Amino acid sequence: MTVIRLPMDIKFPLYAAIIFYLLFGTSSAIASESELPESIVVSDFSLLLNGSGSRKKFLLVKIYDIALYLPRRISNHRDINKQIPQAFLINIRFDSNKSFGIPRAWREELLPLLNSEQESKLKAALVRANVSDKFRVEYAPDIGTKILLEDELLLIESGYDLMAAFIDVWLGPKPVSVKLASALMSES
């Protein structure tokens, strides 16, 4: 048996790459299908899973998984409008260590869309949120936009503006992640 001896300057990067792969695996935009229902109900409307993905920090740490639900599969985000019910289901993946507060990505992606009262309510909910808790941002034409943590209603706004802002964050011209935007539309 021939043993191949690698120089030390090659061994370390190779071992680091192998350990990195074993610890973190390959990066995929698709969130775990087993955790996402194929359909949900929003204000008596049955919505289908359109696509899903994960938001990561530093390419490694999942902050949240997100799924988009619509009445029918849509491949172009421009076809999503105030005439149709829609929802985002967001599974929290970060560990809510109270001393660190809300992850920066959440603040950048969600809080600027809200007024100060709404921001306070959402911050309080995020501080007490735990890994695997689910946020829902849902819109029904007759009700408006709701934000829920598990089954607790955090915010409700009449009209489509708040939902349109969330759509813009994840699917608009400058989404937080092009890969995530693509994944949200990928099930079509």
Side-chain angles (χ1 to χ4, degrees), residues 63-64 90-112 114 118-131 133-136 147-149 152 154 166:
I63 300 170
Y64 56 86
I90 305 162
N91 293 341
I92 298 170
R93 294 288 173 228
F94 70 91
D95 186 5
S96 65
N97 182 331
K98 309 296 189 256
S99 63
F100 293 111
I102 300 168
R104 185 174 178 186
W106 273 94
R107 287 194 307 268
E108 293 171 356
E109 293 166 23
L110 300 179
L111 300 182
L114 307 171
Q118 294 168 330
E119 183 177 331
S120 295
K121 287 180 181 178
L122 189 55
K123 278 183 180 180
L126 287 172
V127 167
R128 69 176 191 272
N130 295 304
V131 173
D133 278 355
K134 291 174 181 58
F135 271 92
R136 276 174 63 149
I147 301 177
L148 300 101
L149 172 61
E152 178 188 350
L154 301 175
F166 280 97

Side-chain angles (χ1 to χ4, degrees), residues 36 53 73 98 107 125 129 139 160-161 165-166 175 183 186-187:
L36 298 170
R73 304 234 191 266
K98 309 296 189 256
R107 287 194 307 268
Y139 169 80
Y160 188 66
D161 291 345
F166 280 97
S186 73
E187 296 291 331

Side-chain angles (χ1 to χ4, degrees), residues 66-68 87-90 135-137 163 166-167 170-171 184:
I66 183 169
L68 173 63
F88 287 107
L89 179 62
I90 305 162
F135 271 92
R136 276 174 63 149
V137 179
M163 188 63 175
F166 280 97
I167 294 286
W170 289 302
L171 299 172
L184 290 171

Side-chain angles (χ1 to χ4, degrees), residues 10 21 40 43 52 59 62 66 68 70 88 101 103 105 110 119-121 162 164 170 181 183:
I10 293 175
Y21 179 80
I40 62 173
S43 185
S52 62
L59 302 173
K62 280 188 182 181
I66 183 169
L68 173 63
L70 300 166
F88 287 107
L110 300 179
E119 183 177 331
S120 295
K121 287 180 181 178
L162 184 56
W170 289 302

Side-chain angles (χ1 to χ4, degrees), residues 70-82:
L70 300 166
R72 63 189 181 286
R73 304 234 191 266
I74 294 177
S75 59
N76 187 334
H77 77 278
R78 289 179 201 86
D79 295 333
I80 302 171
N81 59 60
K82 66 181 179 179

